[in-house]
Amino acid sequence: MPSPADIPAPPPGCPAHNSGKGIPLYTADFADDPQAHYEYMRGFGVAAPVELAPGVDASLVTDYAAALHVLQNPDVFGRDSRRWRALNEGRIPANSPVLPMMAFRPGPLFTDGPEHLRLRQAMTDSLAKIDSRWVTRLGERIAKYLIEQFKGRGTVDLVREYAQVLPLLVFNELFGCPADVGDRVVFGISGIFDGTDAERANKVLGEALFELVTLKRKEPGEDVISWLMQHPAGLTDEEMIPQIIQLIGGGTEPLANLIASALAVLLSEETIAGLHSGGLLVEDAVNEVLWNSAPIANYATHFPLQDVELSGYRLDAGDPVLISFAAANTDPNLSGDRQTLSKRAHLAWGAGPHACPAKDPALLISVQAIENLLKDLPDIELAVPSENLAYRPGPFHRALSSLPARFTPVRTSQRENATRTAVRTAGGPRTEDASAPQKGKFWSGFLAWMKG
């Protein structure tokens, strides 16, 4: 462990020097410049003390090799948060905003050993049944639908009106959601991640998923939810809800952040200038984000099964240990690998037994979403300088607050106008003043658009 003299000065605005306090990950200062904070954290060793929310302390692993060690050794570092000592002792506020991401649920994210293997196998086997050609066609249709909602305006917030919504609609289709259920799923998951009326959003989401599970028990179809239910693992309804929540949470928020951040890279003035001389491809932009701005920056909560030292840094049994994918990927010791931008070396998808089970469809959806937008709106560009883009505060994600863009308005045909009217009649997205549409009705709007 380094001495205090070895630790660099904290970045501007960081209160980490306060006695007994970890580095807070939930502030606007951290969101403004996380890399400066990670550099400061490296002064503590392979991990550093952090505060995930007021009163919630943890250790954050910032070293690439140490992160791999934690991720690949479940016999030493478990994922079952029922081991969380501070929570068990009543020291975590009951209304803490990080509890939904850290408290135990009976799903693969929070289990270890044979139980984890059983639950994860059900998920991976069900995801393996997804036809990539189906996803491709679906992604094209959803992108076209979303673009049609704003292409006549000439302006758009690519976060709220495109990147956040597209993955949700893809998953609604993969889940076989009816119109009303799908609208409530979109509203619920968006509200949870946005932090706007999160309690109501969580209630709406839970009720919608319970209704979906009940429906699929009675009327199974060719969809991921039905395949999960039919799996030999024999998932109960109690196990189904956490499985679905993990699929939605792991498949929407990271994808939204990845799509938005890659678009920010591609639409920057520097990149646009380079494209004229054979510059950055979409896959390159996505890979750059996965390396340098991991969509889920700090997560994969582990709990040491006993007191342990990690390359000289003490970790106590039952205290949360998180992996900083963002810091590990920018570890100065990785300069050689980073220069090649190896698609396999970064940790953005995790590693070990809990690695993301859906990275291939996730990459397909992300790349296609970006390509469809650039194809339909070839002159789209950022409406503000890239250095003015802001990020949402939060301990776990790296997420743009907005991504304002402009382009030459595209005239809509008479048929498209008629279809848009039908969508609005069905309760689909509305733009009352050139602002973003209401996300809560996107799914029924998309289904009406498809019929039109």
Side-chain angles (χ1 to χ4, degrees):
M1 184 79 85
S3 69
D6 298 325
I7 299 173
C14 177
H17 57 279
N18 292 344
S19 175
K21 292 287 186 181
I23 298 106
L25 303 187
Y26 53 88
T27 65
D29 287 321
F30 177 77
D32 286 343
D33 194 356
Q35 285 301 330
H37 287 73
Y38 296 142
E39 181 60 27
Y40 170 65
M41 292 180 203
R42 291 188 181 104
F44 288 84
V46 300
V50 296
E51 191 177 41
L52 303 176
V56 182
D57 297 318
S59 294
L60 186 70
V61 179
T62 57
D63 178 87
Y64 183 92
L68 269 180
H69 179 77
V70 173
L71 292 166
Q72 295 176 340
N73 284 275
D75 292 339
V76 180
F77 301 96
R79 295 293 294 268
D80 189 337
S81 57
R82 287 174 295 188
R83 298 188 180 96
W84 190 356
R85 188 157 50 93
L87 181 64
N88 294 336
E89 294 173 358
R91 292 188 280 120
I92 303 300
N95 61 348
S96 175
V98 300
L99 280 178
M101 295 286 284
M102 296 178 65
F104 177 81
R105 294 191 189 95
L109 192 63
F110 297 99
T111 51
D112 301 304
E115 185 63 5
H116 168 257
L117 181 62
R118 180 181 75 90
L119 296 171
R120 182 180 171 89
Q121 196 66 51
M123 182 180 291
T124 55
D125 288 350
S126 300
L127 290 172
K129 293 186 177 184
I130 298 174
D131 187 337
S132 61
R133 294 168 297 181
W134 175 33
V135 175
T136 298
R137 292 192 299 270
L138 177 62
E140 289 175 350
R141 291 168 183 165
I142 290 174
K144 182 176 177 59
Y145 162 67
L146 294 175
I147 293 167
E148 186 177 301
Q149 309 309 311
F150 55 75
K151 70 179 184 181
R153 297 203 317 256
T155 61
V156 61
D157 177 355
L158 288 171
V159 170
R160 288 193 300 153
E161 298 182 74
Y162 194 70
Q164 282 186 343
V165 186
L166 188 144
L168 282 167
L169 299 192
V170 169
F171 271 82
N172 269 355
E173 179 66 19
L174 296 179
F175 289 170
C177 285
D180 177 58
V181 172
D183 281 341
R184 284 181 282 148
V185 168
V186 173
F187 172 85
I189 201 71
S190 299
I192 289 173
F193 281 118
D194 288 346
T196 55
D197 200 1
E199 185 175 352
R200 177 171 175 250
N202 190 51
K203 182 175 184 292
V204 170
L205 178 63
E207 291 172 349
L209 294 181
F210 180 79
E211 187 175 325
L212 181 62
V213 168
T214 301
L215 174 65
K216 294 300 177 180
R217 289 285 187 199
K218 295 178 180 177
E219 302 174 15
E222 290 298 309
D223 54 70
V224 173
I225 305 303
S226 298
W227 297 332
L228 275 170
M229 290 179 172
Q230 296 161 2
H231 193 271
L235 300 183
T236 65
D237 286 357
E238 182 186 24
E239 293 171 328
M240 282 294 302
I241 300 297
Q243 286 267 15
I244 301 171
I245 289 176
Q246 181 175 337
L247 279 169
I248 296 175
T252 56
E253 172 77 356
L255 280 191
N257 298 342
L258 177 57
I259 293 168
S261 294
L263 281 170
V265 170
L266 286 163
L267 299 182
S268 69
E269 292 181 3
E270 296 82 2
T271 304
I272 290 174
L275 286 174
H276 294 296
S277 58
L280 203 64
L281 298 174
V282 171
E283 291 88 348
D284 296 328
V286 168
N287 206 37
E288 180 175 320
V289 170
L290 292 171
W291 266 111
N292 296 314
S293 191
I296 297 299
N298 310 299
Y299 195 46
T301 309
H302 292 74
F303 299 87
L305 276 62
Q306 61 271 329
D307 295 349
V308 64
E309 280 201 359
L310 184 66
S311 298
Y313 189 93
R314 179 182 173 85
L315 300 170
D316 293 335
D319 287 352
V321 178
L322 278 68
I323 303 299
S324 179
F325 302 112
N329 285 347
T330 55
D331 186 338
N333 296 322
L334 290 181
S335 57
D337 285 332
R338 287 178 54 74
Q339 286 174 2
T340 65
L341 285 181
S342 168
K343 294 181 179 179
R344 295 185 179 182
H346 67 72
L347 296 180
W349 303 113
H354 286 270
C356 176
K359 66 178 182 180
D360 290 336
L363 281 170
L364 176 62
I365 293 167
S366 301
V367 170
Q368 187 181 43
I370 297 167
E371 288 179 341
N372 284 325
L373 180 77
L374 299 180
K375 178 184 66 177
D376 286 4
L377 303 173
D379 67 344
I380 192 168
E381 62 180 7
L382 292 183
V384 299
S386 56
E387 59 267 23
N388 290 353
L389 295 174
Y391 288 81
R392 284 192 286 124
F396 306 119
H397 59 237
R398 182 62 173 162
L400 282 161
S401 298
S402 64
L403 188 61
R406 61 193 173 205
F407 52 89
T408 302
V410 179
R411 187 187 301 273
T412 56
S413 67
Q414 189 172 9
R415 178 185 178 276
E416 288 173 331
N417 286 332
T419 303
R420 189 174 298 177
T421 300
V423 168
R424 290 174 176 168
T425 302
R430 293 172 169 81
T431 52
E432 297 177 0
D433 59 10
S435 61
Q438 300 169 350
K439 281 188 280 190
K441 295 294 184 181
F442 263 112
W443 182 239
S444 57
F446 171 68
L447 294 179
W449 179 84
M450 286 288 290
K451 292 179 181 177

